[in-house]
Amino acid sequence: MTIQWGVLGASSFARDNMAPAIHAAKGANFAALATSSVEKAKGFQTYAPDIAVYTDYDAMLADPKIDAIYIPLPNHLHVPWTIKALEAGKHVLCEKPIALKESDFDDLIAARDKAGLIAAEAFMIPHHAQFGRARELVQSGAIGDLVHIDGTFSYNNAGDLDNIRHDPAKGGGALPDIGVYPIGAARLVSGQEPQSITLANLRYEHGVDVFAQVAADFESCSFSAVVSMRMMNYQQMTFHGTTGVLRLTCPFNANKADVAELILDRKDAPRHVERWPAENHYVRQVENFSAAAEGDAEYPVPLEWSRGTQQMLDMIYAAAK
């Protein structure tokens, strides 16, 4: 069976990344788009000319031919529309952050369990081989004992003040937008959870955080990260152990900003490099979700896991106050 997908909202990210991934994924078919502007549908129809186009979101949710919904709406709409889609009998993959506070997960998990369907945050990096390999190496002791994790993710949208990331009413800010990545990467690779926030240096403009410098203690290692909407595009993750250092290049926009590489340096050993020049984590995410919707596999990052990242974001905001 092929999962029939509907996209709820014609964002540029959906048009350029996730809808093409649904179109390309095995076991999935991009069948419908709901948008308030028929004009916006044209960008999707260049690669999926046969999609049904709805100008009413609820009408697409009522379509019995649609099995799963992908939601790329502004952050503050994620929880209500995820719940509405579940109540309409659809599996849901919703853009990150799926919620704006940790307590929102109570309603999301309850709606998922009542519906008996799959609902998950569209956090794509766990689906990339780069992260599976990093987790394997770190947790097997390839760098000795893990001592410190460091991450950076930045871009500069200072000249785009109409962007929803600058709107506090819509869940804007650097931490909700990109802070989830170094935090999620640290949790994913280490298998550990944050215990306390030791530094939360946030800088605000227009009511949203545009720069965040964060430090934390995990169970047996420390963590630091910088995320910003006011710095040149850059991304990296480093895992530093007692006998080695593992670095991930382009960990969050793999093969978009640069080639995804894993670089392992160990004492008295030659540098080890692995590369994934063709891996598409968006396609893998859709394939893994579709398999879970079919009942063929467990989804690797359920809501309970995503809740942990939001809990750390809440801890950072609380510490900054």
Side-chain angles (χ1 to χ4, degrees):
M1 178 180 168
T2 298
I3 298 295
Q4 303 298 316
W5 284 79
V7 174
L8 194 73
S11 73
S12 58
F13 181 81
R15 180 194 66 219
D16 298 338
N17 293 282
M18 278 301 294
I22 294 169
H23 188 60
K26 297 175 183 175
N29 179 53
F30 177 25
L33 172 71
T35 173
S36 58
S37 168
V38 174
E39 188 68 23
K40 289 184 178 180
K42 293 179 181 178
F44 295 80
Q45 291 168 323
T46 58
Y47 52 83
D50 297 330
I51 56 171
V53 177
Y54 293 90
T55 55
D56 179 85
Y57 290 0
D58 290 300
M60 189 175 76
L61 294 185
D63 186 341
K65 299 187 294 295
I66 301 299
D67 305 307
I69 301 293
Y70 165 67
I71 300 176
L73 297 172
N75 295 344
H76 69 299
L77 298 176
H78 289 174
V79 170
W81 279 102
T82 294
I83 292 173
K84 286 189 73 169
L86 286 166
E87 290 174 346
K90 313 301 183 187
H91 302 285
V92 184
L93 182 64
C94 179
E95 260 314 314
K96 53 81 203 159
I98 195 171
L100 293 175
K101 57 183 186 295
E102 188 259 342
S103 59
D104 286 337
F105 280 84
D106 292 337
D107 291 339
L108 289 169
I109 290 170
R112 177 202 65 187
D113 292 349
K114 182 178 180 180
L117 298 164
I118 305 295
E121 183 178 62
F123 187 60
M124 72 290 190
I125 65 172
H127 306 275
H128 198 289
Q130 183 190 45
F131 274 93
R133 185 71 172 126
R135 180 183 176 92
E136 175 188 357
L137 288 167
V138 169
Q139 295 196 19
S140 68
I143 60 171
D145 295 330
L146 178 61
V147 177
H148 183 69
I149 305 169
D150 181 73
T152 305
F153 197 6
S154 62
Y155 61 87
N156 193 336
N157 68 352
D160 185 16
L161 296 183
D162 291 332
N163 192 296
I164 60 171
R165 293 166 182 82
H166 288 117
D167 190 340
K170 294 181 179 178
L175 278 169
D177 187 42
I178 55 177
V180 296
Y181 288 109
I183 290 170
R187 296 178 58 235
L188 181 69
V189 172
S190 70
Q192 299 185 30
E193 297 295 341
Q195 304 300 296
S196 63
I197 305 301
T198 57
L199 172 68
N201 175 24
L202 275 58
R203 187 163 69 240
Y204 282 79
E205 295 177 19
H206 313 290
V208 300
D209 55 285
V210 299
F211 172 92
Q213 179 187 21
V214 176
D217 286 332
F218 276 57
E219 293 162 32
S220 64
C221 67
S222 57
F223 168 86
S224 62
V226 169
V227 299
S228 179
M229 304 193 300
R230 293 295 183 270
M231 296 163 63
M232 191 182 88
N233 293 10
Y234 183 71
Q235 54 187 272
Q236 63 83 31
M237 287 296 301
T238 301
F239 300 85
H240 202 144
T242 53
T243 61
V245 177
L246 183 137
R247 183 164 57 93
L248 304 182
T249 70
C250 200
F252 311 129
N253 298 128
N255 302 325
K256 292 278 187 181
D258 201 353
V259 175
E261 286 187 333
L262 179 152
I263 301 168
L264 176 62
D265 289 309
R266 289 177 285 188
K267 186 179 179 180
D268 302 323
R271 170 171 284 184
H272 176 77
V273 179
E274 298 180 29
R275 305 173 81 247
W276 293 270
E279 184 88 0
N280 187 316
H281 46 199
Y282 299 119
V283 172
R284 298 290 186 201
Q285 177 179 240
V286 173
E287 291 176 344
N288 289 339
F289 189 94
S290 296
E294 286 276 37
D296 296 333
E298 293 291 324
Y299 194 66
V301 275
L303 290 176
E304 287 81 359
W305 191 90
S306 297
R307 183 175 198 151
T309 295
Q310 186 60 51
Q311 183 179 45
M312 186 170 177
L313 287 172
D314 289 358
M315 291 166 64
I316 293 167
Y317 281 123
K321 292 180 179 178

